[in-house]
Structure formats: structure tokens, C-alpha cells
Amino acid sequence: MTRVRRTDEHGSPALSAEPPSRFLRGVELIRAGEYFAAHEELEDAWRAAPQDERDFFQGLVHVAVAWYQAGRGRRIGTERQLAKALRRLTPYAPEHRGLELEPLLQQLRELNARGSLDLPPPLL
């Protein structure tokens, strides 16, 4: 959670917590290995995103779903999601919204070529 410095009614410093955006929460959940929950957060971010960023958010949804499908042993679903993530995220490289995408894109290429369900954590 992001902390923001504010003052109370007496002018004294006070800290309040602001909830993270759905995008940031989704990335945190991917990093934590909570792929289904990440998918839910990122799907909401995708739906609310401006048109020029929709593919970026949808690409991150595909990342979360690929790892979720791999965890369930679904090879075809995993391969399709990896390919979709790669296609949607590539135009935003090398960096977008503070995420370094090149390491992730390289990982997606390698995993897609390898065809294994044994996926290391996503490089986000």
C-alpha cells in the first residue's frame, strides 16, 4: 500500500494509506504467484483503460492466465496465453508504466518456444 504524507486538522503530519491501483495490485499479485487474483485485478484495469493502453493491460492479463493455466496442467491454454501476451505487450517495449518489459518479453519468447508447463516466475 502506498503511504501519502498529509497533515491533520492541526497541521501535524499524518500518514494515510491510499489503495493501490488495480494495475499495481495486479502486478503485485503476479509477483506473489497469485495468478487468478492478478487476472481479476488486471481485467478490471483493462476494462477501465483508455483505448491506447488496452492492449498493454490485456497483455498482462494473458501473462497471469498463462501461469494460471500452467499451474493447472493445461499446455494448449498456456501456449496460447503466452503467444497472446507476447503479441500484445511487444508494442509497449522496452518500458511502459514503470515496468521493464524486455526481460518479460524475452522470457515469453523462450517459454513459448520451449513448450513446457514448468514455468519460472514471470520477470515483472
Side-chain angles (χ1 to χ4, degrees):
M1 204 165 273
T2 305
R3 294 238 176 237
V4 178
R5 186 170 282 292
R6 298 178 190 238
T7 57
D8 64 16
E9 65 273 5
H10 306 291
S12 300
L15 290 177
S16 67
E18 284 188 0
S21 71
R22 294 217 179 261
F23 158 65
L24 293 175
R25 181 73 181 131
V27 171
E28 289 172 3
L29 288 164
I30 286 175
R31 289 175 177 158
E34 299 290 330
Y35 304 118
F36 186 82
H39 151 266
E40 295 291 315
E41 291 291 327
L42 291 165
E43 196 168 77
D44 286 342
W46 163 66
R47 286 188 177 121
Q51 188 63 36
D52 64 339
E53 284 197 297
R54 290 178 66 92
D55 276 351
F56 171 72
F57 291 109
Q58 200 166 19
L60 293 176
V61 168
H62 292 309
V63 168
V65 174
W67 266 260
Y68 178 73
Q69 293 285 12
R72 299 187 72 205
R74 297 192 168 155
R75 179 178 310 283
I76 293 172
T78 301
E79 290 171 353
R80 287 180 180 164
Q81 294 298 315
L82 290 170
K84 288 178 185 179
L86 189 56
R87 186 177 72 243
R88 293 203 186 265
L89 292 173
T90 296
Y92 296 93
E95 180 272 336
H96 191 72
R97 286 192 168 239
L99 287 182
E100 292 294 327
L101 294 174
E102 281 303 326
L104 175 63
L105 292 170
Q106 183 60 36
Q107 182 185 40
L108 293 172
R109 285 184 206 97
E110 290 170 5
L111 293 172
N112 203 23
R114 189 172 74 181
S116 171
L117 292 175
D118 184 24
L119 306 184
L123 296 176
L124 279 177

